[in-house]
Amino acid sequence: MSEKNRDGKRTARERLAEERAKQKTAEKRRRVLIVGGAVVCVLALAAVGGVLAANAGKDKTDTAGPVTAPSGANGDDSLAIPVGKESAKSTLTVWEDFRCPACKSFEDAYRSTIHELTDAGQLKVEYHLATLIDGNMGGSGSLRAANAAACSQDAGKFTAYHDVLFENQPAETDDTYAKNSKLIELAGKVEGLDTGAFKKCVDDGAHDSWVAKSHQAFQGGGFSGTPTVLLNGKNIYQDQSMTPAKLKQLVQQADKA
């Protein structure tokens, strides 16, 4: 084989090796981005500790007033919004922030399964609302959206409005949900919710103090971030093997026991 041919083959091998190296680097970068996106709502204690102070005086966020729980709220200090039949043998406890991208990812993946199980009477869900992103990123969208969600519970429309808020979630850095007008606009996507009573509840911040107390419970719970998802007290969001199918299997097994 001529020296020229050997050089040509060597060059081709070198180019192939370079291309493979580039692909590995790109794949590694992609994995890092995925992991980074999944943990975007990790608790930043120093920032979260100042959430109420940071939002004081903005957009009627008076969290010092009387604590008014939404209709039907239960659990410790009436801080949980229940969905599903009380007789269900399994309980899913969910801590969420309506501005949290990881919460949206959880909802997008598990929403249909959770609805199926609650509709079948096999699972009850206790939703707890947090304002983690307001503290981390600034703004008041987490608080305003949580208050609006509590107002939707008063109207018996929590599940549908909760889903609408996550389906229409703005970018984490975009504090769109700080605008009551946007939250009222989204209520139009839920049949029967866009009423004068709902609008007044949202504009008055009727449940702001309740939301603040819920977030204080989140801070005191020792949780690492949102979402925090517990099935019968066990943290399943940290279980990397958990899938909607596995959740369904666990709940149905418990229902038959």
Side-chain angles (χ1 to χ4, degrees):
M1 181 182 293
S2 69
E3 186 66 29
K4 184 177 180 180
N5 286 340
R6 282 197 298 271
D7 290 342
K9 289 191 173 185
R10 187 182 307 114
T11 301
R13 286 196 297 271
E14 290 172 351
R15 285 200 301 269
L16 181 59
E18 289 175 0
E19 183 62 28
R20 286 174 176 170
K22 288 179 181 178
Q23 290 176 353
K24 287 182 179 180
T25 299
E27 178 63 18
K28 182 178 180 181
R29 187 181 297 113
R30 187 184 71 84
R31 287 197 300 267
V32 169
L33 288 173
I34 290 174
V35 172
V39 298
V40 71
C41 299
V42 168
L43 184 61
L45 289 175
V48 176
V51 61
L52 300 182
N55 290 319
K58 294 182 181 180
D59 301 322
K60 295 186 180 180
T61 55
D62 181 9
T63 56
V67 176
T68 304
S71 176
N74 61 17
D76 293 343
D77 294 326
S78 297
L79 294 178
I81 294 179
V83 173
K85 295 181 179 179
E86 182 60 32
S87 59
K89 292 184 179 180
S90 291
T91 301
L92 196 70
T93 304
V94 183
W95 291 85
E96 292 180 316
D97 181 328
F98 288 109
R99 286 181 71 186
C100 166
C103 296
K104 174 177 171 55
S105 295
F106 167 76
E107 286 293 334
D108 288 348
Y110 284 83
R111 180 181 297 117
S112 61
T113 300
I114 291 174
H115 285 338
E116 178 184 350
L117 294 170
T118 54
D119 290 347
Q122 298 171 333
L123 178 70
K124 57 177 178 276
V125 187
E126 295 179 348
Y127 288 98
H128 296 261
L129 307 182
T131 58
L132 180 63
I133 305 303
D134 284 356
N136 288 351
M137 305 296 296
S140 60
S142 299
L143 173 60
R144 299 265 45 81
N147 172 69
C151 293
S152 74
Q153 169 67 9
D154 289 337
K157 305 287 184 178
F158 174 80
T159 300
Y161 189 63
H162 162 276
D163 292 350
V164 164
L165 288 176
F166 278 117
E167 288 166 353
N168 293 272
Q169 184 188 78
E172 184 182 16
T173 54
D174 183 354
D175 199 22
T176 298
Y177 282 172
K179 300 176 182 177
N180 287 339
S181 58
K182 180 62 177 179
L183 298 167
I184 292 170
E185 174 191 326
L186 289 175
K189 295 179 178 291
V190 178
E191 184 178 0
L193 180 59
D194 188 6
T195 65
F198 175 79
K199 293 175 182 176
K200 186 178 190 306
C201 182
V202 172
D203 284 333
D204 289 351
H207 300 296
D208 283 355
S209 295
W210 177 83
V211 173
K213 190 169 184 178
S214 178
H215 182 69
Q216 289 169 0
F218 169 77
Q219 288 180 290
F223 305 122
S224 60
T226 53
T228 291
V229 185
L230 312 174
L231 178 62
N232 299 325
K234 180 181 178 181
N235 193 327
I236 63 169
Y237 192 71
Q238 293 179 343
D239 180 356
Q240 295 184 357
S241 70
M242 185 58 61
T243 63
K246 184 175 179 179
L247 172 62
K248 182 177 180 179
Q249 180 183 27
L250 291 173
V251 170
Q252 290 182 336
Q253 285 176 346
D255 185 60
K256 294 175 182 178

